[in-house]
Amino acid sequence: MSTSIDLLAFGTFGIPNGFKQTFFLNNPNSRYLKSFDLNTNAITIYPQANLYSIRKEVANGAKALSYTQYSFAREQHSDRGGTFIGSSITFFNTNCEEPLVISCLDEFHADIIAEQRNIINHVLQVKHSDELIVREPKDLNKLDLNFKALDATLFQKTRNSFLVVYCDLSSELNLFLQKSAYLLSDFDTIYFTDSVDIANYVIEKGLYTFINSEQFLAEIEKRKAAKDIERFEQQKSKNPSFQKNKSTLPEKNTPEEITPRNWDISFFKKQSNQNKLIAEHNDLVKKYNELKAQLKQLSNSKPKTDNPFESPDISYPEEEDSSILGSYQFWRGLSIVLLLTCGYAGYREYERYHVVATTPTVAVTSAPPAPIPVAPPKVEIPPLNPLPKSVLKEKDIAYTFKNSTIQNQTADSVVNLIFAKNKTDITSIYGNQKPAYKAELIKRNPECFKDDKVICTSLKNIPSAQ
């Protein structure tokens, strides 16, 4: 296994050890990693809740990126809440495709919590992470073959800040992890959960920034636009034609001359309101020129008034009487021209930089979001693909549930157990379709499930792809 990866398992084990974490591939940089403990003053884990995270840090000079999963677990002889067991895959100075990482992480984590020497009915059976029984994911070696470059700019700032995203993990997790690089420059850790309980807890505590999936995607689009603007500004500053034309640009009056030059026309074509802005700009310039022409006419003839309430004409010295400076209409026209000129200059600056004004690059605000729904959004679960061809044989069922008590356990726990013990027939095919597999399992064994819990001592119809 490459020295660029390490596998971690951790948990809260109560007295006397408390939180402990163990590294199983012995990467020399791992012992410099920060704790994967949760700050329960800001975020906590509940039974049946799912919580993932991506975290950046620098460990012993190496740039580390960690993908982590948390599950609720009670300490021995304790009923206190917020305790957990977790696992992580950490990359040093590299990264990998997120779907493959999460597939390996899910298998590694499911194996740990399905092993009854580790945990039974959400109660930890060991007192230290060193005692956990772990097995390497079967596709762990594939991570070495799918490395990708790590964005070093993410590690330029350490803000000790945290973001929590409420989303649909089954359909959005992989995509959101791929996009999270845009926000890791502002946050050290980003958590993802589909638990209403966790979401409401985070909002109530108010220590971590909280957003929903729509806000997350909107913020990503802002960051992408900001990067485009940054590249555009760099291109503009390096282009000599911009500096040459910059001083004469306000004097150009024709549409061809007002349209952005070749160096930036491709950028503005991306904006949906480009044509509207240029048209409005040209109209403004046209009006400006018309007023300038009117002002010229005023300077060549003394205006007359038919206003009966105007004061009678008073003689002034010849040099003042013949001067345009003595014209009221001149001063009024000049004021209008000056106002339009200032407006025109401001409009030019707005047109050039309006994307910046509407696309702030500041960090996500921690303003309270819209109220969280009382229940997670219902997502239609597609059927298993491919459809199961058979069911497990009796001897395979006996092996799957050997030394395991499934009665009163949750459907998710039983699915994790089935996946952990049947990697060839089930996990290799349905490893990324746990919600669909769970639905199929309940459908084939309706008499054994009630309120998402198993009420039987065994299951007879376990779908298999082989």
Side-chain angles (χ1 to χ4, degrees):
M1 174 53 61
S2 168
T3 57
S4 300
I5 302 176
D6 210 339
L7 287 175
L8 298 79
F10 52 83
T12 48
F13 299 95
I15 299 174
N17 293 317
F19 175 86
K20 292 294 180 182
Q21 59 189 32
T22 299
F23 311 95
F24 294 97
L25 299 183
N26 298 317
N27 189 294
N29 296 314
S30 295
R31 63 191 184 96
Y32 296 96
L33 290 172
K34 297 178 183 177
S35 166
F36 284 83
D37 198 1
L38 292 175
N39 178 4
T40 53
N41 291 322
I43 189 170
T44 192
I45 189 78
Y46 292 91
Q48 319 307 328
N50 297 305
L51 182 65
Y52 289 82
S53 75
I54 182 171
R55 185 179 87 179
K56 71 171 186 186
E57 62 184 297
V58 177
N60 194 31
K63 297 177 178 62
L65 199 64
S66 300
Y67 298 84
T68 307
Q69 184 177 3
Y70 296 83
S71 292
F72 177 80
R74 294 194 183 279
E75 301 166 350
Q76 292 187 28
H77 315 299
S78 174
D79 290 328
R80 76 184 186 99
T83 53
F84 56 87
I85 189 170
S87 55
S88 181
I89 299 178
T90 297
F91 295 86
F92 296 96
N93 297 321
T94 189
N95 196 9
C96 191
E97 296 299 330
E98 281 76 7
L100 180 58
V101 176
I102 296 303
S103 176
C104 289
L105 178 62
D106 282 344
E107 181 184 346
F108 182 57
H109 189 75
D111 236 6
I112 291 176
I113 62 178
E115 173 57 62
Q116 294 204 338
R117 287 173 289 181
N118 295 333
I119 184 172
I120 298 177
N121 293 330
H122 299 298
V123 178
L124 290 165
Q125 304 299 301
V126 296
K127 298 182 179 297
H128 196 291
S129 55
D130 290 345
E131 301 174 11
L132 290 170
I133 307 299
V134 302
R135 283 177 286 275
E136 290 187 5
K138 62 180 178 61
D139 290 334
L140 188 63
N141 289 326
K142 291 184 180 180
L143 298 179
D144 277 333
L145 306 176
N146 291 274
F147 282 153
K148 64 179 181 180
L150 188 65
D151 186 356
T153 61
L154 302 180
F155 298 84
Q156 293 177 350
K157 298 179 182 178
T158 300
R159 301 175 180 270
N160 194 32
S161 55
F162 305 86
L163 175 67
V164 181
V165 182
Y166 177 74
C167 61
D168 180 6
L169 295 178
S170 62
S171 63
E172 296 177 327
L173 179 62
N174 284 325
L175 174 64
F176 282 17
L177 286 172
Q178 291 170 347
K179 292 180 175 293
S180 61
Y182 285 99
L183 295 180
L184 277 176
S185 57
D186 290 319
F187 297 95
D188 297 329
T189 303
I190 302 177
Y191 294 97
F192 300 91
T193 184
D194 57 1
S195 167
V196 174
D197 292 331
I198 293 179
N200 287 331
Y201 186 91
V202 172
I203 294 173
E204 179 184 352
K205 295 299 182 179
L207 297 179
Y208 289 174
T209 301
F210 177 88
I211 58 178
N212 58 32
S213 56
E214 291 79 9
Q215 293 168 318
F216 177 83
L217 290 173
E219 194 63 33
I220 293 299
E221 290 305 313
K222 289 181 183 179
R223 303 307 172 90
K224 289 173 65 176
K227 284 185 177 291
D228 287 341
I229 292 170
E230 182 180 357
R231 287 193 293 267
F232 161 72
E233 292 294 341
Q234 291 173 352
Q235 178 188 6
K236 183 179 68 174
S237 63
K238 293 178 182 178
N239 193 298
S241 65
F242 171 75
Q243 298 299 333
K244 179 180 178 181
N245 297 320
K246 184 176 181 181
S247 60
T248 61
L249 192 59
E251 299 178 3
K252 306 298 182 180
N253 296 325
T254 65
E256 290 80 5
E257 292 171 320
I258 293 169
T259 302
R261 302 287 175 177
N262 291 334
W263 51 265
D264 63 356
I265 187 65
S266 61
F267 174 81
F268 281 100
K269 282 183 178 179
K270 297 178 182 178
Q271 309 307 315
S272 61
N273 59 351
Q274 175 214 13
N275 294 333
K276 180 180 177 181
L277 286 175
I278 292 178
E280 291 176 353
H281 171 75
N282 291 342
D283 289 340
L284 183 61
V285 173
K286 183 178 179 181
K287 292 178 181 178
Y288 166 79
N289 290 333
E290 290 175 352
L291 284 169
K292 240 183 11 176
Q294 293 176 11
L295 179 62
K296 186 175 181 180
Q297 293 177 355
L298 287 172
S299 65
N300 294 330
S301 62
K302 182 178 179 181
K304 296 181 179 180
T305 178
D306 294 327
N307 186 355
F309 297 100
E310 188 169 329
S311 300
D313 193 13
I314 302 176
S315 299
Y316 291 93
E318 182 63 25
E319 63 270 17
E320 292 184 6
D321 187 57
S322 61
S323 172
I324 193 172
L325 296 179
S327 170
Y328 163 77
Q329 285 83 353
F330 167 76
W331 286 111
R332 182 178 63 179
L334 181 60
S335 300
I336 294 174
V337 170
L338 289 175
L339 287 173
L340 285 174
T341 302
C342 294
Y344 164 71
Y347 185 85
R348 284 295 300 168
E349 291 300 310
Y350 168 78
E351 184 184 7
R352 288 173 53 207
Y353 299 109
H354 74 281
V355 179
V356 178
T358 57
T359 313
T361 57
V362 297
V364 185
T365 62
S366 57
I372 297 298
V374 296
K378 293 184 178 180
V379 179
E380 183 176 352
I381 300 175
L384 284 173
N385 184 23
L387 292 174
K389 297 180 180 179
S390 62
V391 295
L392 290 184
K393 298 178 181 179
E394 290 187 7
K395 63 176 183 178
D396 294 324
I397 295 177
Y399 165 75
T400 299
F401 298 140
K402 183 180 179 181
N403 299 325
S404 298
T405 302
I406 65 171
Q407 191 172 18
N408 295 324
Q409 288 206 34
T410 65
D412 287 322
S413 298
V414 174
V415 170
N416 288 332
L417 178 61
I418 293 173
F419 275 44
K421 295 295 182 68
N422 299 275
K423 296 180 180 179
T424 301
D425 296 345
I426 298 176
T427 310
S428 61
I429 307 299
Y430 302 127
N432 294 324
Q433 303 181 60
K434 283 187 179 181
Y437 188 89
K438 171 185 169 181
E440 184 69 21
L441 184 67
I442 295 175
K443 178 181 177 182
R444 296 188 180 217
N445 302 270
E447 73 284 355
C448 289
F449 290 90
K450 183 178 181 181
D451 298 330
D452 206 43
K453 284 192 175 183
V454 181
I455 58 176
C456 299
T457 57
S458 183
L459 301 176
K460 295 181 180 181
N461 298 308
I462 300 178
S464 172
Q466 302 296 330

